[in-house]
Amino acid sequence: MTVLKCIAVDDEPLALKLVETFIYQTPFLQLTASCDNAVEAMSLIREKQPDLVFLDINMPNLTGMELARLLQEQPGQVPKIVFTTAYNHYAIEGYKVNAVDYLLKPFSYEEFLRAANKVLQITEEASNNFQPITSDDEFIFLKVEYQWVRISLKEILYIESLKDYVKVHLDDNQKAILSLISLKALEEKLPSSKFMRVHRSFIVSLDKINAISKNSIFIDKTEITVGEQYKETFKTIVDKWLK
């Protein structure tokens, strides 16, 4: 059984205790830490590397929403987030930071379990979503709906992150492919000699780059901005090309 490591964050002691109790009741959840503020939560997330964070929004100093936005900007694997809040007007903003679900207080164990099951399903589908790629492979299999689709690496222009999905853009006007897998998970399986992550939302095929400007890459007719944390690594590649 897949076990999801969890962190619970809430500045209200009773609300925090309830989430902890619900986690303990759920066989596939494991509580690795809990805290009452988002600043401490940031450190715990870096240390514990949880799969899932149950995160209150309305907290002093740093809100849960602000923490979620900061996590999106960090390199590395971002944990799934389920917001817990007493205010329903945060729902739309929550989905903008890739929250899997949104629990409105007071919520029942049934509602909690439904949200946890959603995270479990996404995690399991993503982990079974591809076959390992060796350096000699010329293709990859991605799960698209209910079938495995073979994609030639040579046909990939770039890969775009869409929340819990990736959109694989192909050459020769082929229809893009949508698959339930995180960009980070796919990045780890692609050969680094052929593909590079240049933005938190984009991986590009190095062979398909048509032009380069100071802060952008051009592939076919698409301009892709190079993210700040990826500029130094990409510059190393460009310097080799220009020698």
Side-chain angles (χ1 to χ4, degrees), residues 86-105:
Y87 304 94
N88 59 14
H89 61 273
Y90 287 114
I92 294 176
E93 191 175 356
Y95 287 114
K96 289 181 180 179
V97 292
N98 293 344
V100 175
D101 213 337
Y102 181 99
L103 293 172
L104 188 61
K105 299 176 182 177

Side-chain angles (χ1 to χ4, degrees), residues 9-10 19 54-57 82-86 103-105 107:
V9 187
D10 201 308
V19 172
F54 290 97
L55 182 59
D56 184 28
I57 293 179
V82 172
F83 281 122
T84 61
T85 181
L103 293 172
L104 188 61
K105 299 176 182 177
F107 50 86

Side-chain angles (χ1 to χ4, degrees), residues 156-157 191-198 203-210 217 219 234 237 241:
I156 298 175
L157 295 174
S192 59
S193 60
K194 297 179 181 179
F195 295 90
M196 177 175 287
R197 188 163 183 173
V198 296
I203 293 173
V204 300
S205 172
L206 296 174
D207 291 339
K208 301 296 183 179
I209 296 175
N210 303 123
I217 292 168
I219 296 179
F234 185 68
I237 297 294
W241 289 347

Side-chain angles (χ1 to χ4, degrees), residues 217-236:
I217 292 168
F218 297 86
I219 296 179
D220 199 11
K221 298 179 181 179
T222 302
E223 179 179 0
I224 298 171
T225 301
V226 179
E228 195 63 39
Q229 66 265 44
Y230 303 98
K231 284 183 178 179
E232 195 62 36
T233 303
F234 185 68
K235 183 178 181 297
T236 303

Side-chain angles (χ1 to χ4, degrees), residues 4-5 10 12 21 28 31 34 36 51 81 90 95 102 108-109 114 125 191-192 199 204 218-219 225 228 230 237:
L4 303 176
K5 296 185 295 181
D10 201 308
E12 300 174 17
T21 300
F28 59 85
L31 183 66
S34 63
D36 62 3
D51 303 299
I81 292 175
Y90 287 114
Y95 287 114
Y102 181 99
S108 66
Y109 179 64
R114 188 179 297 117
E125 287 181 353
S192 59
H199 188 276
V204 300
F218 297 86
I219 296 179
T225 301
E228 195 63 39
Y230 303 98
I237 297 294

